[in-house]
Amino acid sequence: EERAAMTTGAAQVMTSVELEVEATSGKDVGEITNETLESVHAGACAAPSGLGADLERRKRGIELLSELLRRRAREKLSCVREDQRIWRDDLKKRSRQRQRLAKKERMAQQQLKLGNPPGGHGVELGTKNRPCNRKVGWSVQEEIPEETGKEWRKYEQDKCRKVLLTFGAGEWNRIQGCLLEEHKQLVHGVNDIRNLTYTFLVALRENQEKQQEAKAPKKEGGGGGRQPVQSKEDAFLARKIAEFESEGAKRILDLTNEWPKIDKLGLSWLRKLRLLDLIRDAALMGRDEERRQEFDDAMATISESSPPVDWWSIAADKALLLGVYKHGYGSFDKIREDPEYASAFTPDERNIEENLRKKEQFRHKPGCNCVSCAHTRNKKRKAEAEGGNAGGPPGEGEEGNGAENGGGAEDDARVGWPSVDTLTKRLKRMVEVFARQLRKMENKSAQKTHNDRRSSEWTKKDRFTLAQCGMRWGLVHDEGPAQPDWAAMRDLSGLTKKSEEQIEACFLGLVEEAEHILQNAKRKGGGGEGEGEGDGEDG
């Protein structure tokens, strides 16, 4: 009887598990609740025969138990990840505390070197009475103050440097917008970004000085040799630093991250900043209606003998330049997809024919005497004279720099959109052309200012020429009474660069000077007053 009772209970438990498994048939495993899976697991553990003898029900039960195991594993893994996150946050917090303590100690040492008392450094450097290190930022760019004086974190400093090397110095609002888009909240204003940029430029200048000192040869006599010529990068750096100093930029002394890899990448960063500054000047010139003609003249000076692709045109050059200013350095895909420049980057058969004609025009012909062809011929003659395996004499098509032999492959490679390297070279070439054009314009402006200043100044020769004209022709008058004709005086004297007002002022000055000389002569005459008067009248 006891054995029969046990058999009957086991059958009832096994039947309930089979019923639960049967109830889940036809459903997706992911839709079954955790309570059902836990019930199936408990029933299978309690039953002597587990999931039963039916193979289909056993297979379905194994799927349910596998899903239960996966859910438990995911829950356990999420708990482990949460514990790891809490541990990392605590580690970062303790690391920041150590960094703050080290920074305060460094600033205290700096103040001691400057002769300030240790207790006053916090007020001057903005570290005293700070309630906590947590930053409460702004999510709207218009609400951010111009200057907050908040500390720059490492990730903020690195991101600002990357954006600066994308848009260039001076584009503070765009840099601030990119930083806000990246971090969602921002605590730095445009003046803070300008101060960080100024600090970055000063660090680049110091790095350049170190590099130049390391490369400079040391002379034993100690005599100063000829000063090295200032490079383009150094001139740009000096001009930008002076510009920021005139705007009131301040150097940040308490940066926690001292510009890593500046010794290796400093020169590359400096060249990119100069390139972006020239791109900004060129783009602003192209958008200004008054200077649009200067922009078009500069674009026309770019040689079209080697376009990036056969369909390239001046309009594509303009779109590339303005697109880099709009989307940033290296964003060539965004520039290509921009609807504003779609027409400029659309291939045109007329441009293709014109570029092919120019390519054929500039192709090296047999017997060309350019440097490249002459170097190739000399090299082959030298190889033949040395008895090397230079082969037979070069044919007519082998002269030049390979334009004849590899022309077809090169044309095939230049179909479609140019590569990144090709576009970068093209962009640098345009920027250098604009730099030369800007220098010419600055020289013309300086020469014009110099000429205007010289024309406004009266030299001894100019005054003598006007005096000679007055003594020879007298004071020329108009047809009307009593009004001198200063324009006629200017033409007679040959001082065409002077204005009528300048002629009048100088002539009156000469008359006043003559009267003063005559009065002095009368005083020196003494008793011969009548004679002096006669002389004065004759004079």
Side-chain angles (χ1 to χ4, degrees):
E1 292 177 358
E2 292 177 358
R3 190 180 298 110
M6 292 175 61
T7 306
T8 304
Q12 292 177 356
V13 173
M14 183 174 60
T15 302
S16 64
V17 173
E18 291 178 353
L19 289 175
E20 289 180 357
V21 173
E22 185 68 22
T24 61
S25 61
K27 297 182 180 180
D28 189 10
V29 179
E31 299 177 357
I32 302 174
T33 60
N34 291 334
E35 291 78 6
T36 304
L37 296 177
E38 293 288 348
S39 177
V40 171
H41 177 261
C45 292
S49 59
L51 296 173
D54 188 70
L55 293 179
E56 295 295 332
R57 293 193 185 94
R58 288 177 65 88
K59 183 178 179 181
R60 181 62 177 175
I62 291 173
E63 293 178 357
L64 298 178
L65 295 179
S66 301
E67 177 66 20
L68 177 63
L69 182 61
R70 281 195 293 270
R71 293 184 183 182
R72 289 180 176 179
R74 283 198 296 267
E75 183 179 358
K76 184 66 176 177
L77 185 60
S78 63
C79 294
V80 172
R81 288 176 177 174
E82 182 66 19
D83 294 339
Q84 290 179 350
R85 187 189 65 80
I86 295 174
W87 176 80
R88 284 196 300 268
D89 293 344
D90 183 66
L91 183 62
K92 289 180 181 179
K93 182 178 180 181
R94 287 186 277 121
S95 176
R96 286 195 294 267
Q97 290 176 354
R98 289 195 298 269
Q99 290 178 1
R100 285 198 299 271
L101 292 175
K103 184 181 69 174
K104 289 182 179 180
E105 185 178 357
R106 288 197 306 269
M107 290 192 300
Q109 292 177 358
Q110 290 177 1
Q111 294 297 324
L112 286 175
K113 291 180 180 179
L114 296 175
N116 298 330
H121 73 279
V123 178
E124 298 176 1
L125 298 179
T127 58
K128 189 178 181 181
N129 299 328
R130 185 176 295 176
C132 62
N133 199 27
R134 186 182 64 180
K135 293 187 177 183
V136 180
W138 293 267
S139 57
V140 181
Q141 186 174 0
E142 290 75 12
E143 298 178 357
I144 304 176
E146 291 186 358
E147 186 170 358
T148 61
K150 297 290 184 179
E151 177 186 359
W152 283 90
R153 302 287 179 83
K154 180 180 179 181
Y155 65 91
E156 294 174 340
Q157 182 180 342
D158 291 341
K159 182 61 180 178
C160 185
R161 176 183 57 79
K162 293 178 182 178
V163 178
L164 180 65
L165 293 174
T166 302
F167 293 102
E171 299 294 327
W172 311 127
N173 292 326
R174 299 171 69 183
I175 296 175
Q176 188 183 41
C178 291
L179 293 177
L180 183 60
E181 183 180 358
E182 177 72 18
H183 302 302
K184 306 304 180 184
Q185 284 189 343
L186 191 64
V187 297
H188 303 293
V190 292
N191 289 346
D192 298 322
I193 298 174
R194 185 186 61 186
N195 293 338
L196 183 65
T197 305
Y198 174 72
T199 308
F200 181 51
L201 293 179
V202 172
L204 288 175
R205 181 178 63 181
E206 294 176 353
N207 179 67
Q208 284 290 101
E209 293 175 354
K210 291 180 181 179
Q211 298 289 342
Q212 292 174 1
E213 290 178 0
K215 293 180 179 179
K218 297 182 180 180
K219 296 186 177 181
E220 298 179 356
R226 187 170 57 182
Q227 294 293 334
V229 180
Q230 189 180 28
S231 63
K232 300 178 181 178
E233 291 78 13
D234 294 338
F236 161 75
L237 199 56
R239 179 172 58 85
K240 275 297 177 182
I241 289 177
E243 179 182 343
F244 288 159
E245 288 177 350
S246 64
E247 294 176 359
K250 303 176 183 178
R251 184 176 182 181
I252 303 175
L253 300 176
D254 54 346
L255 282 178
T256 57
N257 187 26
E258 294 293 338
W259 308 111
K261 299 183 180 180
I262 193 173
D263 53 341
K264 298 180 180 178
L265 302 177
L267 183 58
S268 176
W269 293 343
L270 184 55
R271 288 174 177 171
K272 186 175 290 187
L273 286 175
R274 176 180 173 270
L275 178 67
L276 290 172
D277 189 71
L278 292 174
I279 291 174
R280 180 171 178 265
D281 294 340
L284 293 178
M285 182 191 298
R287 293 184 177 184
D288 191 359
E289 295 295 337
E290 298 179 357
R291 306 180 65 187
R292 180 68 59 83
Q293 186 61 38
E294 299 175 1
F295 178 78
D296 295 336
D297 294 342
M299 294 298 300
T301 58
I302 301 176
S303 176
E304 295 295 334
S305 59
S306 57
V309 286
D310 290 339
W311 53 265
W312 200 261
S313 61
I314 297 180
D317 282 331
K318 295 180 181 179
L320 178 63
L321 190 64
L322 298 177
V324 170
Y325 174 72
K326 178 180 179 180
H327 296 284
Y329 184 81
S331 303
F332 298 120
D333 292 336
K334 293 182 180 180
I335 298 172
R336 183 183 183 184
E337 296 171 0
D338 194 336
E340 184 180 355
Y341 311 120
S343 59
F345 294 135
T346 302
D348 191 355
E349 292 296 333
R350 292 174 296 180
N351 295 332
I352 295 176
E353 294 177 359
E354 182 68 17
N355 289 332
L356 291 177
R357 184 186 65 79
K358 290 181 179 180
K359 185 183 293 185
E360 183 64 27
Q361 178 182 355
F362 288 99
R363 193 186 299 274
H364 291 265
K365 302 300 188 295
C368 178
N369 293 323
C370 69
V371 177
S372 178
C373 294
H375 177 71
T376 303
R377 286 194 294 267
N378 293 334
K379 186 176 180 181
K380 289 183 179 181
R381 292 195 192 99
K382 185 177 179 180
E384 292 176 359
E386 293 177 354
N389 297 325
E396 294 181 353
E398 295 178 357
E399 294 183 355
N401 57 356
E404 295 286 343
N405 297 330
E410 185 177 357
D411 292 340
D412 294 339
R414 292 191 172 188
V415 173
W417 184 252
S419 62
V420 176
D421 294 338
T422 305
L423 291 175
T424 304
K425 292 179 181 178
R426 186 72 175 182
L427 182 64
K428 292 181 179 180
R429 182 179 180 184
M430 287 191 295
V431 166
E432 291 300 331
V433 170
F434 271 102
R436 291 195 296 267
Q437 189 73 7
L438 288 175
R439 285 196 296 270
K440 290 181 180 179
M441 292 167 53
E442 291 176 358
N443 294 335
K444 288 182 180 179
S445 177
Q447 186 65 29
K448 182 179 179 181
T449 305
H450 178 69
N451 294 337
D452 293 342
R453 187 175 67 252
R454 288 195 61 185
S455 63
S456 62
E457 295 176 355
W458 283 87
T459 61
K460 185 177 180 180
K461 180 180 179 181
D462 295 338
R463 290 166 58 85
F464 184 72
T465 302
L466 185 61
Q468 275 188 333
C469 177
M471 289 185 292
R472 182 176 182 182
W473 302 102
L475 186 60
V476 183
H477 290 77
D478 292 332
E479 296 180 359
Q483 181 61 33
D485 190 356
W486 302 113
M489 289 288 294
R490 179 184 60 187
D491 297 337
L492 289 174
S493 61
L495 302 173
T496 56
K497 294 184 179 181
K498 306 292 184 182
S499 63
E500 297 181 14
E501 292 79 8
Q502 292 174 347
I503 295 290
E504 180 182 2
C506 183
F507 188 84
L508 296 178
L510 290 173
V511 172
E512 183 179 356
E513 185 177 353
E515 292 177 352
H516 181 69
I517 292 173
L518 291 175
Q519 291 176 1
N520 291 336
K522 289 180 181 180
R523 294 193 191 97
K524 292 179 180 179
E529 184 176 354
E531 183 180 356
E533 290 178 357
D535 294 341
E537 291 175 359
D538 294 340

